[in-house]
Structure formats: structure tokens, C-alpha cells
Amino acid sequence: MFENKNTVNKVLVFRKIERLRYQDGSNMAKHINTIQGLINHTTSLELPLADEVLALLLLRSLVDSWEMLVVILGNAEP
């Protein structure tokens, strides 16, 4: 399906990414698939994101109960 690659569509997809939050107890695979769909959307809008940015968006979507994982991954050697 053709999608207009205008600024409004780009803002809307980023707004969806920014608002996305994992809910404790919900399906993590479903959450990751949702993020992947939004990332695919940015690519279709010719707005590809670097791998590091993608990882940061995923970590940012996690709630506070996942903070230890975020800290551990943040302190890991590249």
C-alpha cells in the first residue's frame, strides 16, 4: 500500500513509538513484534534508524521493573 512519506506521517509513527510501554505480565513477544512493526513503518517512510537507536527505543519502552536489565545491558562491553 502506498503511504505518503510526509512529515505528519513521520511524526505520527514516532509518537506511537514514544508512547509504547510494555505492561508487566503481558506477552513480551507481542511487545517486541509491535515495536518491530513500528520500526518497519519508519523504514517504509524512508526514515531508517541505526541499530543503537533501535535498541535504545526497545529498552526505553520497558517499565521500571525491568530497570535491572537496562542497567546490566548498559554496563556490558560493546
Side-chain angles (χ1 to χ4, degrees):
M1 186 170 132
F2 175 77
E3 181 171 13
N4 194 351
K5 297 172 179 113
N6 64 34
T7 302
V8 172
N9 286 337
K10 292 175 183 180
V11 168
L12 292 175
V13 73
F14 270 101
R15 190 175 290 162
K16 288 179 184 178
I17 292 170
E18 193 278 326
R19 292 180 178 165
L20 184 64
R21 292 288 178 273
Y22 173 76
Q23 298 297 317
D24 277 333
S26 64
N27 187 324
M28 180 57 80
K30 183 177 177 182
H31 179 71
I32 292 172
N33 286 337
T34 300
I35 290 176
Q36 185 62 55
L38 292 169
I39 298 308
N40 292 345
H41 196 170
T42 64
T43 302
S44 74
L45 293 172
E46 296 179 359
L47 195 61
L49 302 172
D51 289 342
E52 184 177 7
V53 173
L54 298 176
L56 292 171
L57 290 171
L58 174 61
L59 293 174
R60 188 204 172 285
S61 74
L62 300 176
V63 293
D64 291 344
S65 62
W66 288 76
E67 187 67 24
M68 185 58 71
L69 174 66
V70 173
V71 169
I72 289 168
L73 292 174
N75 290 328
E77 291 289 323

